[in-house]
Amino acid sequence: LESAFSKEQRAFFRQRISPNTPALCARRSSAGVEAKRAAPCQILDITAGGILLASQEDYQEGNRLSITGVYLVEKEDPFAFRCLVRRVGEEEEEDRSIRYGCQFESIAPREQDRLLSAIFTLQREEIRKQREREGLL
């Protein structure tokens, strides 16, 4: 139990994303070049340090991915990330997708600031919607 808990500890807050946040994932070669084929994937949640995605592609721990076309906030430019697959989940029966926990690699400081701003915007919107549901607004 203790080792499972320590495996899930995170340095950053996890923000759930709309279930309709599509992106494209491509395996990178050892030289960091994108593979020839990109596949659709769904972004499930995001932190300042990584991303949880679902894909029907078969990736392994240690694979390096390029993830492009990630729209987090309306009217903002999409994000593109390079990441390392750190965790591979079980296949989901309903859509045959697999969840992958990925750690970002080398995000430029300006892009990290933009990412944090987008995450804070998503958090504010989630809090506003929750208050509306509870009749507080």
Side-chain angles (χ1 to χ4, degrees):
L1 180 64
E2 185 176 319
S3 66
F5 174 75
S6 63
K7 195 174 188 179
E8 286 296 316
Q9 287 183 329
R10 303 195 185 296
F12 302 103
F13 176 79
R14 181 189 313 198
Q15 177 62 47
R16 293 211 180 276
I17 305 294
S18 162
N20 299 319
T21 306
L24 289 174
C25 295
R27 199 179 326 260
R28 292 188 350 238
S29 71
S30 58
V33 178
E34 285 188 31
K36 294 179 185 175
R37 186 176 75 97
C41 58
Q42 290 291 118
I43 307 304
L44 303 174
D45 68 38
I46 193 165
T47 72
I51 199 164
L52 178 66
L53 63 92
S55 176
Q56 292 181 350
E57 294 295 305
D58 184 28
Y59 303 119
Q60 304 298 318
E61 277 188 38
N63 284 161
R64 287 184 156 67
L65 303 178
S66 291
I67 304 171
T68 57
V70 182
Y71 287 91
L72 296 176
V73 179
E74 280 187 37
K75 300 179 184 175
E76 292 285 331
D77 290 336
F79 287 89
F81 304 111
R82 290 176 177 227
C83 62
L84 176 67
V85 176
R86 303 288 281 179
R87 186 170 41 90
V88 178
E90 298 293 320
E91 185 174 305
E92 299 290 322
E93 286 188 34
E94 65 272 359
D95 64 357
R96 303 193 55 90
S97 68
I98 301 170
R99 292 182 178 206
Y100 298 96
C102 302
Q103 179 181 3
F104 294 140
E105 294 183 320
S106 62
I107 295 181
R110 187 176 197 151
E111 194 66 358
Q112 181 128 27
D113 289 345
R114 192 170 80 89
L115 175 60
L116 289 172
S117 177
I119 290 172
F120 292 147
T121 299
L122 291 168
Q123 288 173 350
R124 281 192 303 274
E125 183 64 20
E126 189 175 295
I127 290 168
R128 184 188 63 75
K129 286 179 181 178
Q130 182 178 5
R131 287 182 176 170
E132 284 178 357
R133 283 191 302 268
E134 294 171 355
L136 297 175
L137 286 180

PDB file of all heavy atoms in Angstrom, residues 45-66:
ATOM      1  N   ASP A  45      -6.497  14.707 -18.161  1.00  0.00           N
ATOM      2  CA  ASP A  45      -6.145  15.712 -17.167  1.00  0.00           C
ATOM      3  C   ASP A  45      -4.723  16.192 -17.400  1.00  0.00           C
ATOM      4  O   ASP A  45      -3.973  15.596 -18.180  1.00  0.00           O
ATOM      5  CB  ASP A  45      -6.379  15.239 -15.730  1.00  0.00           C
ATOM      6  CG  ASP A  45      -5.469  14.129 -15.259  1.00  0.00           C
ATOM      7  OD1 ASP A  45      -4.273  14.134 -15.603  1.00  0.00           O
ATOM      8  OD2 ASP A  45      -5.934  13.261 -14.510  1.00  0.00           O
ATOM      9  N   ILE A  46      -4.389  17.288 -16.727  1.00  0.00           N
ATOM     10  CA  ILE A  46      -3.098  17.924 -16.963  1.00  0.00           C
ATOM     11  C   ILE A  46      -2.598  18.553 -15.674  1.00  0.00           C
ATOM     12  O   ILE A  46      -3.393  18.955 -14.819  1.00  0.00           O
ATOM     13  CB  ILE A  46      -3.216  18.980 -18.091  1.00  0.00           C
ATOM     14  CG1 ILE A  46      -1.851  19.422 -18.586  1.00  0.00           C
ATOM     15  CG2 ILE A  46      -4.093  20.152 -17.665  1.00  0.00           C
ATOM     16  CD1 ILE A  46      -1.893  20.162 -19.905  1.00  0.00           C
ATOM     17  N   THR A  47      -1.295  18.593 -15.515  1.00  0.00           N
ATOM     18  CA  THR A  47      -0.636  19.308 -14.430  1.00  0.00           C
ATOM     19  C   THR A  47       0.479  20.133 -15.066  1.00  0.00           C
ATOM     20  O   THR A  47       0.713  20.046 -16.272  1.00  0.00           O
ATOM     21  CB  THR A  47      -0.004  18.358 -13.386  1.00  0.00           C
ATOM     22  OG1 THR A  47       1.162  17.750 -13.957  1.00  0.00           O
ATOM     23  CG2 THR A  47      -0.969  17.296 -12.918  1.00  0.00           C
ATOM     24  N   ALA A  48       1.173  20.895 -14.252  1.00  0.00           N
ATOM     25  CA  ALA A  48       2.314  21.641 -14.773  1.00  0.00           C
ATOM     26  C   ALA A  48       3.460  20.705 -15.137  1.00  0.00           C
ATOM     27  O   ALA A  48       4.365  21.079 -15.870  1.00  0.00           O
ATOM     28  CB  ALA A  48       2.788  22.667 -13.750  1.00  0.00           C
ATOM     29  N   GLY A  49       3.396  19.461 -14.674  1.00  0.00           N
ATOM     30  CA  GLY A  49       4.481  18.520 -14.919  1.00  0.00           C
ATOM     31  C   GLY A  49       4.171  17.375 -15.857  1.00  0.00           C
ATOM     32  O   GLY A  49       5.066  16.637 -16.243  1.00  0.00           O
ATOM     33  N   GLY A  50       2.887  17.233 -16.250  1.00  0.00           N
ATOM     34  CA  GLY A  50       2.574  16.109 -17.112  1.00  0.00           C
ATOM     35  C   GLY A  50       1.119  16.060 -17.518  1.00  0.00           C
ATOM     36  O   GLY A  50       0.343  16.970 -17.233  1.00  0.00           O
ATOM     37  N   ILE A  51       0.774  14.957 -18.154  1.00  0.00           N
ATOM     38  CA  ILE A  51      -0.537  14.834 -18.763  1.00  0.00           C
ATOM     39  C   ILE A  51      -1.003  13.373 -18.670  1.00  0.00           C
ATOM     40  O   ILE A  51      -0.182  12.463 -18.680  1.00  0.00           O
ATOM     41  CB  ILE A  51      -0.438  15.304 -20.237  1.00  0.00           C
ATOM     42  CG1 ILE A  51      -1.776  15.653 -20.831  1.00  0.00           C
ATOM     43  CG2 ILE A  51       0.292  14.309 -21.089  1.00  0.00           C
ATOM     44  CD1 ILE A  51      -1.633  16.479 -22.109  1.00  0.00           C
ATOM     45  N   LEU A  52      -2.306  13.179 -18.514  1.00  0.00           N
ATOM     46  CA  LEU A  52      -2.896  11.858 -18.596  1.00  0.00           C
ATOM     47  C   LEU A  52      -3.705  11.829 -19.880  1.00  0.00           C
ATOM     48  O   LEU A  52      -4.542  12.706 -20.112  1.00  0.00           O
ATOM     49  CB  LEU A  52      -3.815  11.578 -17.398  1.00  0.00           C
ATOM     50  CG  LEU A  52      -4.525  10.224 -17.414  1.00  0.00           C
ATOM     51  CD1 LEU A  52      -3.530   9.073 -17.271  1.00  0.00           C
ATOM     52  CD2 LEU A  52      -5.581  10.161 -16.320  1.00  0.00           C
ATOM     53  N   LEU A  53      -3.432  10.841 -20.723  1.00  0.00           N
ATOM     54  CA  LEU A  53      -4.141  10.763 -21.992  1.00  0.00           C
ATOM     55  C   LEU A  53      -4.653   9.360 -22.214  1.00  0.00           C
ATOM     56  O   LEU A  53      -4.190   8.404 -21.598  1.00  0.00           O
ATOM     57  CB  LEU A  53      -3.241  11.212 -23.147  1.00  0.00           C
ATOM     58  CG  LEU A  53      -1.978  10.401 -23.449  1.00  0.00           C
ATOM     59  CD1 LEU A  53      -2.260   9.331 -24.484  1.00  0.00           C
ATOM     60  CD2 LEU A  53      -0.904  11.340 -23.978  1.00  0.00           C
ATOM     61  N   ALA A  54      -5.637   9.261 -23.102  1.00  0.00           N
ATOM     62  CA  ALA A  54      -6.180   7.966 -23.507  1.00  0.00           C
ATOM     63  C   ALA A  54      -5.981   7.826 -25.007  1.00  0.00           C
ATOM     64  O   ALA A  54      -6.193   8.773 -25.757  1.00  0.00           O
ATOM     65  CB  ALA A  54      -7.665   7.881 -23.163  1.00  0.00           C
ATOM     66  N   SER A  55      -5.534   6.652 -25.418  1.00  0.00           N
ATOM     67  CA  SER A  55      -5.289   6.400 -26.826  1.00  0.00           C
ATOM     68  C   SER A  55      -5.517   4.925 -27.115  1.00  0.00           C
ATOM     69  O   SER A  55      -5.348   4.086 -26.236  1.00  0.00           O
ATOM     70  CB  SER A  55      -3.855   6.785 -27.187  1.00  0.00           C
ATOM     71  OG  SER A  55      -3.559   6.455 -28.530  1.00  0.00           O
ATOM     72  N   GLN A  56      -5.860   4.630 -28.347  1.00  0.00           N
ATOM     73  CA  GLN A  56      -5.974   3.230 -28.759  1.00  0.00           C
ATOM     74  C   GLN A  56      -4.639   2.709 -29.285  1.00  0.00           C
ATOM     75  O   GLN A  56      -4.517   1.526 -29.587  1.00  0.00           O
ATOM     76  CB  GLN A  56      -7.074   3.080 -29.813  1.00  0.00           C
ATOM     77  CG  GLN A  56      -8.445   3.343 -29.220  1.00  0.00           C
ATOM     78  CD  GLN A  56      -9.560   3.169 -30.219  1.00  0.00           C
ATOM     79  OE1 GLN A  56      -9.348   3.028 -31.411  1.00  0.00           O
ATOM     80  NE2 GLN A  56     -10.786   3.187 -29.717  1.00  0.00           N
ATOM     81  N   GLU A  57      -3.655   3.583 -29.365  1.00  0.00           N
ATOM     82  CA  GLU A  57      -2.309   3.181 -29.782  1.00  0.00           C
ATOM     83  C   GLU A  57      -1.615   2.449 -28.642  1.00  0.00           C
ATOM     84  O   GLU A  57      -1.919   2.662 -27.473  1.00  0.00           O
ATOM     85  CB  GLU A  57      -1.480   4.394 -30.194  1.00  0.00           C
ATOM     86  CG  GLU A  57      -1.989   5.087 -31.426  1.00  0.00           C
ATOM     87  CD  GLU A  57      -1.889   4.218 -32.663  1.00  0.00           C
ATOM     88  OE1 GLU A  57      -0.781   3.732 -32.959  1.00  0.00           O
ATOM     89  OE2 GLU A  57      -2.916   4.027 -33.325  1.00  0.00           O
ATOM     90  N   ASP A  58      -0.644   1.635 -28.996  1.00  0.00           N
ATOM     91  CA  ASP A  58       0.098   0.853 -28.009  1.00  0.00           C
ATOM     92  C   ASP A  58       1.442   1.523 -27.740  1.00  0.00           C
ATOM     93  O   ASP A  58       2.359   1.418 -28.550  1.00  0.00           O
ATOM     94  CB  ASP A  58       0.305  -0.575 -28.520  1.00  0.00           C
ATOM     95  CG  ASP A  58       0.974  -1.459 -27.498  1.00  0.00           C
ATOM     96  OD1 ASP A  58       0.811  -1.208 -26.287  1.00  0.00           O
ATOM     97  OD2 ASP A  58       1.670  -2.399 -27.908  1.00  0.00           O
ATOM     98  N   TYR A  59       1.531   2.241 -26.613  1.00  0.00           N
ATOM     99  CA  TYR A  59       2.782   2.854 -26.191  1.00  0.00           C
ATOM    100  C   TYR A  59       3.302   2.097 -24.977  1.00  0.00           C
ATOM    101  O   TYR A  59       2.541   1.443 -24.271  1.00  0.00           O
ATOM    102  CB  TYR A  59       2.589   4.334 -25.843  1.00  0.00           C
ATOM    103  CG  TYR A  59       2.020   5.157 -26.975  1.00  0.00           C
ATOM    104  CD1 TYR A  59       0.808   5.810 -26.837  1.00  0.00           C
ATOM    105  CD2 TYR A  59       2.696   5.285 -28.186  1.00  0.00           C
ATOM    106  CE1 TYR A  59       0.282   6.573 -27.874  1.00  0.00           C
ATOM    107  CE2 TYR A  59       2.174   6.039 -29.219  1.00  0.00           C
ATOM    108  CZ  TYR A  59       0.966   6.676 -29.056  1.00  0.00           C
ATOM    109  OH  TYR A  59       0.450   7.421 -30.078  1.00  0.00           O
ATOM    110  N   GLN A  60       4.586   2.194 -24.723  1.00  0.00           N
ATOM    111  CA  GLN A  60       5.213   1.503 -23.599  1.00  0.00           C
ATOM    112  C   GLN A  60       5.870   2.519 -22.673  1.00  0.00           C
ATOM    113  O   GLN A  60       6.206   3.628 -23.093  1.00  0.00           O
ATOM    114  CB  GLN A  60       6.297   0.531 -24.114  1.00  0.00           C
ATOM    115  CG  GLN A  60       5.800  -0.486 -25.125  1.00  0.00           C
ATOM    116  CD  GLN A  60       4.739  -1.396 -24.555  1.00  0.00           C
ATOM    117  OE1 GLN A  60       4.837  -1.856 -23.427  1.00  0.00           O
ATOM    118  NE2 GLN A  60       3.703  -1.654 -25.334  1.00  0.00           N
ATOM    119  N   GLU A  61       6.080   2.132 -21.415  1.00  0.00           N
ATOM    120  CA  GLU A  61       6.845   2.986 -20.502  1.00  0.00           C
ATOM    121  C   GLU A  61       8.189   3.281 -21.144  1.00  0.00           C
ATOM    122  O   GLU A  61       8.823   2.389 -21.714  1.00  0.00           O
ATOM    123  CB  GLU A  61       7.073   2.282 -19.157  1.00  0.00           C
ATOM    124  CG  GLU A  61       5.906   2.412 -18.219  1.00  0.00           C
ATOM    125  CD  GLU A  61       6.237   1.868 -16.839  1.00  0.00           C
ATOM    126  OE1 GLU A  61       7.386   2.050 -16.370  1.00  0.00           O
ATOM    127  OE2 GLU A  61       5.330   1.260 -16.246  1.00  0.00           O
ATOM    128  N   GLY A  62       8.598   4.536 -21.074  1.00  0.00           N
ATOM    129  CA  GLY A  62       9.872   4.935 -21.648  1.00  0.00           C
ATOM    130  C   GLY A  62       9.761   5.492 -23.060  1.00  0.00           C
ATOM    131  O   GLY A  62      10.696   6.123 -23.544  1.00  0.00           O
ATOM    132  N   ASN A  63       8.609   5.274 -23.738  1.00  0.00           N
ATOM    133  CA  ASN A  63       8.424   5.883 -25.059  1.00  0.00           C
ATOM    134  C   ASN A  63       8.359   7.389 -24.915  1.00  0.00           C
ATOM    135  O   ASN A  63       7.815   7.909 -23.944  1.00  0.00           O
ATOM    136  CB  ASN A  63       7.121   5.414 -25.722  1.00  0.00           C
ATOM    137  CG  ASN A  63       7.188   4.015 -26.284  1.00  0.00           C
ATOM    138  OD1 ASN A  63       6.158   3.409 -26.515  1.00  0.00           O
ATOM    139  ND2 ASN A  63       8.367   3.479 -26.536  1.00  0.00           N
ATOM    140  N   ARG A  64       8.888   8.079 -25.899  1.00  0.00           N
ATOM    141  CA  ARG A  64       8.806   9.528 -25.944  1.00  0.00           C
ATOM    142  C   ARG A  64       7.749   9.900 -26.986  1.00  0.00           C
ATOM    143  O   ARG A  64       7.757   9.368 -28.086  1.00  0.00           O
ATOM    144  CB  ARG A  64      10.156  10.126 -26.281  1.00  0.00           C
ATOM    145  CG  ARG A  64      11.101  10.011 -25.116  1.00  0.00           C
ATOM    146  CD  ARG A  64      12.442  10.694 -25.398  1.00  0.00           C
ATOM    147  NE  ARG A  64      13.124  11.077 -24.192  1.00  0.00           N
ATOM    148  CZ  ARG A  64      13.631  10.250 -23.290  1.00  0.00           C
ATOM    149  NH1 ARG A  64      13.520   8.954 -23.442  1.00  0.00           N
ATOM    150  NH2 ARG A  64      14.253  10.697 -22.220  1.00  0.00           N
ATOM    151  N   LEU A  65       6.838  10.813 -26.583  1.00  0.00           N
ATOM    152  CA  LEU A  65       5.744  11.206 -27.457  1.00  0.00           C
ATOM    153  C   LEU A  65       5.784  12.700 -27.746  1.00  0.00           C
ATOM    154  O   LEU A  65       6.224  13.485 -26.904  1.00  0.00           O
ATOM    155  CB  LEU A  65       4.395  10.880 -26.815  1.00  0.00           C
ATOM    156  CG  LEU A  65       4.118   9.447 -26.403  1.00  0.00           C
ATOM    157  CD1 LEU A  65       2.749   9.346 -25.742  1.00  0.00           C
ATOM    158  CD2 LEU A  65       4.201   8.519 -27.598  1.00  0.00           C
ATOM    159  N   SER A  66       5.304  13.065 -28.919  1.00  0.00           N
ATOM    160  CA  SER A  66       4.992  14.451 -29.257  1.00  0.00           C
ATOM    161  C   SER A  66       3.478  14.540 -29.274  1.00  0.00           C
ATOM    162  O   SER A  66       2.819  13.751 -29.957  1.00  0.00           O
ATOM    163  CB  SER A  66       5.539  14.820 -30.629  1.00  0.00           C
ATOM    164  OG  SER A  66       6.939  14.867 -30.605  1.00  0.00           O
TER     165      SER A  66
END
